């Protein structure tokens, strides 16, 4: 019997975010105005936010020997099952350096750490065996095909969420193979267009030929959920202020699972995800303003009863 509702596979990253007056031209240097380190990564974000919302969650990922003990402690404090969070000797934890100028232009430099070579590491099975739903976020498709195959064998539901990696990690072949093993698909509007290109289809609803549920985030316009029962448009829930939209998509997913694990219908799952994302974007960093379930429901209740 599953002891977790959700098993999350994805990156656990250290984000270094720096503000600049202007991005440097090649062969020049500029001064950093301020910088901060944040805990991040698709896997780390989804798992921690979901757990804070009361979802029994396991996290599967590979980090380096320099993985900060305070990040592990934060995940544990929120109740994340870290059985499958593995330290790899001789490598550094995945790290992203993100530089933003006064006009909002941005560049990012990413060190994948052990996640770049994930296919040579052991298959992390606990987060499949212990969960009801297996969420495949960023990571190597060759590895995730093995995860999806085991999940199918064990009768688990698989959610496919390649995120930004759909543009440079996946081919039409690997995308189709993983989609065929999945029951849910997540993506924003740009990622959805890429997915449809791989499938030679035109409408997001066409993905229902492969999966049961399609969830498309639309930024400030809210989100759209598609299923065999039809199309559901979920409104955005306004925030008190917008400081940093980084991590909003991961918060959306965690909020969706918070509703799904409680047996909510798809519309209410969409509302809870919108409410959670609204909290996260009010502060800088992807894990610095995670709401409780009570706080999320209070905001979502403006649009429906819970």
């Amino acid at each position: 019997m599953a002891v977790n509702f959700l098993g999350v596979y994805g990156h656990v990253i250290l984000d270094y975010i720096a503000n600049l007056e202007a991005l440097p031209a090649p062969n020049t240097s500029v001064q950093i105005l301020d910088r901060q380190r944040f805990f991040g990564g698709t896997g780390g974000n989804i798992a921690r936010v979901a757990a804070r919302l009361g979802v029994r969650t396991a996290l599967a990922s590979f980090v380096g020997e320099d993985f900060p003990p305070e990040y592990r402690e934060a995940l544990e404090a929120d109740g994340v099952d870290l059985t499958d969070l593995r330290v790899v000797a001789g490598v550094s934890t995945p790290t992203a350096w993100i530089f933003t100028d006064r006009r909002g232009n941005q560049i990012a430099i990413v060190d994948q750490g052990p996640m770049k070579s994930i296919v040579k590491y052991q298959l992390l099975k606990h987060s499949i065996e212990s969960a009801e739903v297996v969420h495949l976020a960023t990571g190597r498709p060759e590895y995730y095909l093995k995860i999806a195959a085991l999940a199918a064998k064990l009768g688990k539901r698989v959610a496919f969420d390649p995120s930004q990696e759909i543009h440079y990690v996946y081919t039409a072949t690997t995308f189709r193979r993983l989609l065929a093993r999945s029951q849910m698909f997540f993506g924003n509007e740009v990622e959805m267009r890429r997915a449809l290109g791989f499938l030679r289809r035109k409408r997001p609803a066409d993905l229902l030929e492969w999966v049961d549920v399609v969830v498309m985030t639309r930024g400030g316009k809210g989100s759209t959920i598609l299923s065999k029962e039809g199309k559901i448009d979920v409104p955005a829930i306004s925030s008190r202020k917008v400081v940093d939209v980084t991590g909003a998509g991961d918060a959306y997913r965690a909020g969706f699972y918070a509703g799904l694990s409680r047996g909510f219908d798809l519309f209410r799952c969409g509302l809870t995800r919108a409410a959670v994302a609204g909290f996260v974007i009010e502060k800088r960093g992807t894990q610095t303003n995670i709401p409780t379930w009570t706080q999320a429901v209070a905001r979502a209740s403006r649009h429906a009863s819970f």
Side-chain angles (χ1 to χ4, degrees):
M1 179 180 289
V3 296
N4 294 309
F5 177 78
L6 181 63
V8 180
Y9 288 76
H11 284 72
V12 174
I13 284 181
L14 299 177
D15 289 329
Y16 289 86
I17 300 178
N19 285 321
L20 314 173
E21 189 67 42
L23 296 179
N27 303 313
T28 66
S29 62
V30 296
Q31 178 176 276
I32 288 177
L33 301 179
D34 65 82
R35 64 184 176 92
Q36 289 178 277
R37 188 190 72 173
F38 297 99
F39 303 151
T42 57
N45 292 337
I46 296 171
R48 188 178 179 195
V49 177
R52 177 78 63 86
L53 295 169
V55 182
R56 300 186 315 277
T57 304
L59 172 61
S61 193
F62 294 94
V63 295
E65 291 178 305
D66 59 345
F67 183 61
E70 58 268 31
Y71 195 171
R72 179 182 293 275
E73 291 164 4
L75 291 165
E76 290 176 337
D78 280 319
V80 180
D81 180 343
L82 299 181
T83 302
D84 279 343
L85 182 61
R86 302 298 174 84
V87 174
V88 180
V91 298
S92 299
T93 295
T95 305
W97 294 268
I98 302 164
F99 302 92
T100 305
D101 70 12
R102 294 285 194 189
R103 294 184 296 173
N105 297 313
Q106 192 175 80
I107 59 172
I109 302 169
V110 180
D111 176 4
Q112 292 270 348
M115 293 296 285
K116 183 178 181 180
S117 306
I118 191 173
V119 292
K120 72 181 185 181
Y121 302 131
Q122 68 184 101
L123 206 63
L124 301 177
K125 298 180 181 181
H126 172 77
S127 297
I128 307 169
E129 296 169 343
S130 69
E132 297 177 34
V133 178
V134 177
H135 186 96
L136 302 179
T138 53
R140 306 307 298 185
E142 300 84 359
Y143 187 86
Y144 284 166
L145 281 166
K146 297 177 182 178
I147 296 294
L150 179 57
K153 182 179 179 181
L154 297 176
K156 311 292 184 174
R157 285 185 290 169
V158 174
F160 183 24
D161 178 25
S163 191
Q164 69 273 13
E165 290 190 340
I166 194 173
H167 300 291
Y168 60 92
V169 172
Y170 283 84
T171 64
T173 298
T174 54
F175 180 84
R176 284 171 173 265
R177 289 179 65 193
L178 260 174
L179 192 68
R181 292 280 195 181
S182 306
Q183 286 72 50
M184 291 183 279
F185 179 77
F186 289 82
N188 62 28
E189 292 176 292
V190 176
E191 292 155 3
M192 197 64 66
R193 287 197 291 271
R194 181 68 167 171
L196 291 171
F198 282 149
L199 300 171
R200 298 183 181 179
R201 295 292 192 274
K202 295 182 178 180
R203 304 174 304 133
D206 293 338
L207 271 73
L208 295 175
E209 296 178 33
W210 288 268
V211 297
D212 300 323
V213 176
V214 176
V215 182
M216 180 171 68
T217 56
R218 302 167 60 232
K221 296 177 289 184
S223 61
T224 297
I225 303 174
L226 302 163
S227 71
K228 301 294 193 292
E229 283 69 49
K231 176 183 176 184
I232 301 171
D233 287 319
V234 182
I237 296 179
S238 59
S239 301
R240 293 187 176 90
K241 58 182 177 179
V242 178
V243 175
D244 181 6
V245 298
T246 308
D250 296 335
Y252 264 118
R253 286 141 176 80
F256 182 85
Y257 288 125
L260 196 65
S261 67
R262 290 171 169 85
F264 287 1
D265 59 38
L266 291 176
F267 178 68
R268 284 172 175 77
C269 287
L271 281 180
T272 56
R273 65 183 279 175
V276 173
F279 278 93
V280 168
I281 65 177
E282 290 175 354
K283 288 188 178 180
R284 202 173 180 199
T286 59
Q287 299 179 24
T288 51
N289 198 43
I290 304 172
T292 63
W293 175 246
T294 300
Q295 290 172 320
V297 168
R299 282 199 186 179
S301 296
R302 302 170 190 171
H303 299 271
S305 58
F306 284 82

